[in-house]
Amino acid sequence: MKPLFGKILIANRGEIALRVQRACRELGIPTVAVHSTADADAMHVRLSDESVCIGPPAARDSYLNMASILSAAHVTGADAIHPGYGFLSENANFAEMVEAHGLTFIGPSPDHIRMMGDKITAKTAIAGLGVPLVPGSDGALPDLETAREVAGRIGYPVLIKAAAGGGGRGMKVALDEGEIEEAWRVARAEARAAFGNDEVYLEKYLDRPRHIELQVLADNHGAVIHLGERDCSLQRRHQKVLEEAGSPALAAAQRDAIGETVTAALKKLGYRNAGTLEFLYQDGQFSFIEMNTRLQVEHPVTEMVTGIDLVREQIRIAAGEPLGYAQKDIKFYGHAIECRVNAEDPETFMPTPGRVQAFHAPGGLGVRVDSALYAGYVVPPFYDSMVAKLIVHAPTRPEAIARLRRALDEFAVLGIKTTLPLHQRIVDDPQFQAGDYTIHWLEKFVAEPHE
């Protein structure tokens, strides 16, 4: 059978570049790795069919350098580009440039990337399609007085958020009227510094929500399905640390109901490829917060409970193939948990780049490790600190936790500090074992004294 593409360039690095390479190899598609000078010895470069150096270590000069990436695609004869996650994966201008150069962008349309990249635009579009929202302002706040008026109408506490935000930047809580001016001022300043856009909006601050997201796939022929939910509530400084599929807080009926709402909305929107809608969930109510128009870091837990290769499906959809199944064909098996392993001190969370002296990944039934580490590799200081993902799958959540504990005990990374000890602490905590946590739980947990 003829491959879906002649050659795919992977515009990313590390474990996600390896993940895409593996899917391509199983589909019989050659790959091109791009890399900075700091990543010349990286595993994604070593295992690719071809590689091209695209610039110096700084991301802005390499992995964010659109001209260099497109030049690499033309030089190697690639006919499609997979952006992975992070870097240029949600850059609508890059997607447009890829298509303008006669290449296929393996992801959504530039219009949908742009629509969902601005949180105000995204909320407006989604609200018009019947998806529930957090109470808040109808759009950007033009001035402080409007912020005061909206906050007074919906009630304190409130959250002021950057329209172009992400990762917790440009996000401030006002507990009462006395704090609204400071929250407004700081959020706008942070948004301007981080995103070059000081537009902010306001939402009701929920005090004990869970962070639930729904994975969707949509083809170019009008078919849209969901692959269930992931619970991403264990976060530190708005950065996800551990994810589960499914959520300990949801029953199948609740999943089916929000899934039906979301797939109907995206069908009306004409969305294509993979996407994730993120919600806050409290008191039985879902409230949409944003949509990610790309593959998620935590996609493996969905793969484990559904048996569906999400990267393979992204490539098939981008090649014009129809989805090979309907919603009724999607079955959920067991429970999966993912731990993000960062090159950070597990107590101070300061980055710990350096040479890996030894690396041993756990194995056995139901254990998966996505990582680009190897003994002798030097973790560079220029990029995100995540160096591995440990994913486990088992018939039930208690069995998955037991398997995760065993796998964590086997996992060895010597030479640099990692957050493996933090995950060992989390797994042993009774509240985590009971599934009794919210998005605020981990911040309190890491602040507690321990041996």
Side-chain angles (χ1 to χ4, degrees):
M1 186 174 69
K2 183 181 177 182
L4 298 168
F5 291 103
K7 190 181 294 184
I8 291 177
L9 181 143
I10 303 165
N12 218 295
R13 64 180 300 277
E15 64 86 17
I16 187 56
L18 280 178
R19 171 71 189 88
V20 178
Q21 278 180 9
R22 287 167 176 153
C24 290
R25 186 152 292 169
E26 292 178 13
L27 288 167
I29 304 171
T31 59
V32 179
V34 294
H35 65 90
S36 69
T37 53
D39 276 338
D41 293 326
M43 188 63 79
H44 78 281
V45 177
R46 292 184 170 199
L47 295 185
S48 188
D49 297 293
E50 298 177 66
S51 63
V52 178
C53 181
I54 53 170
R60 66 177 179 274
D61 298 321
S62 52
Y63 297 105
L64 294 174
N65 189 327
M66 301 183 202
S68 290
I69 292 170
L70 288 167
S71 295
H74 284 299
V75 166
T76 57
D79 53 356
I81 294 180
H82 194 301
Y85 52 68
F87 293 131
L88 296 170
S89 62
E90 292 181 289
N91 188 308
N93 292 336
F94 179 63
E96 284 178 337
M97 288 176 67
V98 170
E99 294 183 353
H101 282 75
L103 308 174
T104 299
F105 180 78
I106 301 177
S109 70
D111 288 343
H112 285 138
I113 295 173
R114 188 169 285 115
M115 175 190 295
M116 295 302 169
D118 183 290
K119 293 185 178 182
I120 294 173
T121 306
K123 289 182 68 175
T124 302
I126 288 295
L129 298 171
V131 177
L133 301 180
V134 183
S137 59
D138 293 332
L141 297 167
D143 50 47
L144 176 59
E145 289 312 307
T146 304
R148 291 188 194 278
E149 185 276 321
V150 175
R153 174 162 45 83
I154 67 173
Y156 288 92
V158 297
L159 187 63
I160 295 180
K161 302 172 71 174
R169 291 172 294 180
M171 185 183 299
K172 293 297 168 185
V173 177
L175 298 176
D176 54 43
E177 189 175 357
E179 295 184 357
I180 189 74
E181 182 173 353
E182 177 73 2
W184 155 267
R185 184 183 61 79
V186 173
R188 290 186 70 215
E190 285 188 5
R192 188 184 307 113
F195 311 111
N197 178 353
D198 66 359
E199 276 198 332
V200 295
Y201 63 104
L202 185 149
E203 289 181 344
K204 178 72 176 176
Y205 178 71
L206 301 177
D207 60 347
R208 47 186 176 82
R210 296 182 84 108
H211 185 133
I212 308 291
E213 61 186 30
L214 204 77
Q215 176 70 58
V216 297
L217 287 173
D219 66 19
N220 297 301
H221 309 280
V224 184
I225 61 167
H226 75 84
L227 299 178
E229 86 283 3
R230 297 184 289 254
D231 196 319
C232 306
S233 303
L234 290 181
Q235 303 177 16
R236 177 184 173 272
R237 295 188 175 178
H238 305 287
Q239 298 296 317
K240 298 168 185 174
V241 172
L242 181 151
E243 300 98 352
E244 303 190 58
S247 169
L250 290 193
Q254 293 168 300
R255 171 209 293 151
D256 293 344
I258 191 64
E260 187 174 324
T261 298
V262 164
T263 52
L266 293 190
K267 188 172 292 189
K268 292 177 185 174
L269 200 61
Y271 189 83
R272 71 162 193 247
N273 216 272
T276 301
L277 283 87
E278 304 202 354
F279 296 87
L280 294 179
Y281 177 77
Q282 181 172 311
D283 299 326
Q285 300 295 316
F286 287 94
S287 299
F288 172 81
I289 48 175
E290 65 179 328
M291 181 177 183
N292 290 297
T293 53
R294 55 168 168 80
L295 197 66
Q296 296 278 95
V297 175
E298 57 273 19
H299 76 274
V301 291
T302 296
E303 294 183 326
M304 298 294 260
V305 298
T306 63
I308 293 173
D309 183 330
L310 288 173
V311 179
R312 179 188 178 100
E313 294 307 311
Q314 283 191 295
I315 295 168
R316 290 185 65 257
I317 291 167
E321 296 288 310
L323 288 173
Y325 28 75
Q327 190 65 55
K328 63 181 176 58
D329 301 319
I330 306 302
K331 307 297 180 187
F332 300 97
Y333 303 98
H335 193 87
I337 306 173
E338 173 181 291
C339 295
R340 301 191 187 194
V341 182
N342 294 342
E344 296 174 358
D345 185 298
E347 300 294 334
T348 66
F349 298 100
M350 292 296 292
T352 56
R355 185 175 298 277
V356 177
Q357 296 173 354
F359 177 73
H360 175 76
L365 181 65
V367 175
R368 166 179 167 180
V369 175
D370 285 14
S371 177
L373 290 186
Y374 59 87
Y377 175 66
V378 177
V379 176
F382 311 106
Y383 313 112
D384 185 87
S385 62
M386 191 183 75
V387 292
K389 300 186 307 199
L390 170 60
I391 309 102
V392 299
H393 180 248
T396 66
R397 187 172 186 268
E399 289 173 290
I401 291 173
R403 183 160 288 166
L404 179 58
R405 181 184 292 109
R406 184 268 295 172
L408 285 166
D409 289 344
E410 289 181 21
F411 210 151
V413 183
L414 304 182
I416 61 171
K417 291 183 178 181
T418 72
T419 51
L420 283 168
L422 171 63
H423 289 294
Q424 290 175 309
R425 285 179 55 209
I426 292 171
V427 167
D428 285 338
D429 187 87
Q431 281 188 299
F432 170 74
Q433 292 172 3
D436 182 19
Y437 57 81
T438 70
I439 63 171
H440 307 301
W441 183 85
L442 187 60
E443 292 279 10
K444 296 176 183 177
F445 178 79
V446 297
E448 292 173 354
H450 62 92
E451 293 184 0

